[in-house]
Amino acid sequence: MAQEPPFISPSEKTYLKGLVHLKIKIMSEMPNFNYIDQLADGDEAFKSKLLQVVKNEFPLELEQYHEAVSSSDLSKIASVVHKLKNKISMLGLESSYLIAQEYEESLKQNKTSKKESFEEVLTLMTDFINSF
Amino acid sequence: MNCIIVDDQDSARLVVRQLCEGIKDLDIIEEFSSAIEAIKFLNQQSVDVIFLDIHMPGFSGFDFVQTLKSAAQIVLITADKDLAIEAYEYESISDYLVKPITQERFKKSMNKVKNKLHRTSMIQHGGSSSDLIGNDLYINIDRRLTKLKFDDILFIKAKGDYIDVKTHKEMYVVHSTLKKIKDKLPDNIFLQTHRSYIINFTKIIDIEDNSVLIEKNVIPISRSNRPELIRRLNLL
């Protein structure tokens, strides 16, 4: 006998649709220099200095993140996620920023939702930062 | 205006530094990665503006604001949109900027800060460049010391060994020089427009090429004093 599909209410459907759209957006979103270029306004010296600082800072923050995760101290993780949000926005990752925000909020409520999505964003950023 | 930047992230400080570069008359005098170091600095030196990150290790931006004894205007810089309501409960917080900050938004914020600083200095009649106390000036008229409120003075005109001090109701003739009275007036309100005239900047009705109108009085502006007058205007 064929199994009946699980019942999904209209509001749940809307929520799930939203999640799928967000996921697609994140998957198609790539780190970029839009904001940094706008800020530099042709000042190449500033741009290269900022990129160098980001390149130096990001691995340290990434390390702090993994240390905090290993310690399972959720408020500590939230604090590092907060710090990483600056880099996420600086690299033009608008949808990923929302993920980071949700993850940070959930950590403050002793949950870890969006952890995997957030870590995908970190991988994306690592690849990008290593490329310049 | 002078300012300091307080943020524990090097990249964030660099971004604010770049935004400040785009603002005329804004000088960064120091940067701090620690809020405690910034507080120590501010106990020794006054500044006009503090760019402050809310989230810093061990000491939040709000702790900083509460500890601060300085009269500086604070511009909070944060990645959180949610703390704006709390921020506006503090009189010293002029603005709340959410990262990433655009140059356009930063400029708006600086205009807001400038206006607030101007209003504050108008009330205090002091400002960092003046050590005047109170809101008035005593002038010697017939061996009697007469009190004039700064705000009542429209302009002062040099006339040989005397000066005319014009208020809304009276014209006082005082044995003094323009240079002497200039040193006694708060320079955020008064401005020399001509070698024979000092005006109360707040009383200007309109400005033509080489004159300003204050009530019904036409005051000359010399070519050398005109740029400073124009610089002070909140021009649209």
Side-chain angles (χ1 to χ4, degrees):
Chain A
M1 203 171 74
Q3 208 176 352
E4 268 189 41
F7 175 74
I8 303 173
S9 71
S11 63
E12 279 172 329
K13 257 187 197 166
T14 315
Y15 173 71
L16 289 172
K17 248 187 184 172
L19 272 188
V20 170
H21 282 157
L22 187 59
K23 185 81 181 169
I24 290 168
K25 238 180 153 184
I26 291 160
M27 299 298 283
S28 59
E29 184 175 68
M30 289 302 291
N32 57 71
F33 292 140
N34 295 350
Y35 173 68
I36 294 175
D37 281 337
Q38 190 193 26
L39 194 65
D41 194 23
D43 183 348
E44 286 303 315
F46 162 76
K47 183 177 172 179
S48 70
K49 190 175 177 187
L50 181 60
L51 293 183
Q52 193 52 53
V53 171
V54 168
K55 215 173 162 66
N56 296 341
E57 233 172 29
F58 182 72
L60 300 174
E61 286 168 5
L62 201 59
E63 200 181 310
Q64 285 172 15
Y65 173 74
H66 290 303
E67 274 173 22
V69 169
S70 315
S71 74
S72 303
D73 180 342
L74 300 194
S75 69
K76 204 170 165 186
I77 305 172
S79 155
V80 187
V81 171
H82 182 88
K83 214 182 258 192
L84 282 158
K85 270 162 60 182
N86 288 339
K87 302 274 181 311
I88 295 174
S89 69
M90 216 181 265
L91 296 177
L93 296 164
E94 291 171 21
S95 306
S96 306
Y97 185 88
L98 299 177
I99 291 288
Q101 198 147 326
E102 276 191 54
Y103 182 35
E104 186 189 352
E105 281 312 308
S106 79
L107 287 162
K108 285 179 188 167
Q109 291 159 20
N110 290 322
K111 294 176 200 157
T112 56
S113 56
K114 301 285 179 226
K115 180 175 185 283
E116 279 175 26
S117 307
F118 177 76
E119 289 178 355
E120 279 172 30
V121 173
L122 291 183
T123 308
L124 203 63
M125 287 170 73
T126 307
D127 292 345
F128 184 68
I129 288 169
N130 287 339
S131 74
F132 59 75
Chain B
M1 289 192 295
N2 58 34
C3 69
I4 60 167
I5 305 169
V6 189
D7 197 311
D8 63 313
Q9 284 182 300
D10 294 347
S11 55
R13 290 199 307 277
L14 195 56
V15 166
V16 176
R17 182 169 273 279
Q18 179 71 4
L19 289 164
C20 289
E21 295 282 322
I23 307 291
K24 238 171 49 178
D25 304 331
L26 182 63
D27 299 317
I28 303 164
I29 52 172
E30 203 63 71
E31 285 183 16
F32 298 93
S33 58
S34 136
I36 306 283
E37 288 305 313
I39 293 273
K40 280 186 197 163
F41 175 83
L42 291 166
N43 286 338
Q44 306 292 322
Q45 193 167 335
S46 67
V47 298
D48 296 315
V49 192
I50 302 168
F51 295 103
L52 176 68
D53 180 27
I54 298 182
H55 288 270
M56 277 181 295
F59 207 75
S60 87
F62 290 121
D63 293 336
F64 183 97
V65 176
Q66 279 164 1
T67 311
L68 200 64
K69 290 177 188 137
S70 159
Q73 294 301 310
I74 297 167
V75 176
L76 285 182
I77 293 185
T78 173
D80 278 320
K81 291 182 181 118
D82 308 338
L83 298 168
I85 294 168
E86 188 179 349
Y88 286 118
E89 283 175 12
Y90 296 90
E91 177 64 21
S92 55
I93 297 178
S94 291
D95 209 352
Y96 183 95
L97 299 177
V98 181
K99 294 174 192 175
I101 310 155
T102 62
Q103 193 67 259
E104 198 188 352
R105 176 67 184 89
F106 193 76
K107 276 182 184 160
K108 268 188 192 168
S109 179
M110 286 304 94
N111 283 337
K112 207 169 166 180
V113 169
K114 270 182 201 167
N115 289 338
K116 205 168 170 190
L117 279 172
H118 183 63
R119 280 202 303 274
T120 308
S121 63
M122 294 277 279
I123 293 161
Q124 293 171 342
H125 288 289
S128 54
S129 59
S130 171
D131 57 0
L132 297 165
I133 298 166
N135 301 328
D136 32 56
L137 172 76
Y138 284 85
I139 54 172
N140 194 338
I141 309 280
D142 298 327
R143 294 182 186 176
R144 184 190 291 263
L145 293 175
T146 305
K147 184 165 93 173
L148 293 183
K149 283 186 179 170
F150 288 142
D151 194 46
D152 288 343
I153 301 173
L154 301 177
F155 64 88
I156 300 124
K157 182 184 175 186
K159 216 168 60 178
D161 292 335
Y162 290 86
I163 49 171
D164 287 339
V165 180
K166 177 81 175 88
T167 65
H168 176 64
K169 289 179 186 163
E170 301 274 350
M171 172 77 91
Y172 299 95
V173 181
V174 187
H175 186 254
S176 186
T177 64
L178 211 58
K179 191 183 177 314
K180 270 187 195 165
I181 195 168
K182 193 179 175 188
D183 293 340
K184 302 287 176 189
L185 299 171
D187 55 13
N188 55 331
I189 301 178
F190 290 89
L191 175 72
Q192 184 155 9
T193 58
H194 184 273
R195 65 189 160 83
S196 301
Y197 286 89
I198 291 171
I199 62 161
N200 183 333
F201 189 75
T202 64
K203 304 291 181 187
I204 296 175
I205 294 172
D206 66 31
I207 303 171
E208 271 192 23
D209 277 350
N210 52 10
S211 64
V212 291
L213 183 67
I214 294 180
E215 289 195 351
K216 290 174 184 169
N217 308 282
V218 178
I219 316 285
I221 310 169
S222 67
R223 207 179 300 165
S224 59
N225 292 100
R226 188 177 160 79
E228 174 61 8
L229 173 69
I230 301 297
R231 192 189 67 78
R232 290 227 211 154
L233 300 176
N234 187 15
L235 264 179
L236 186 66

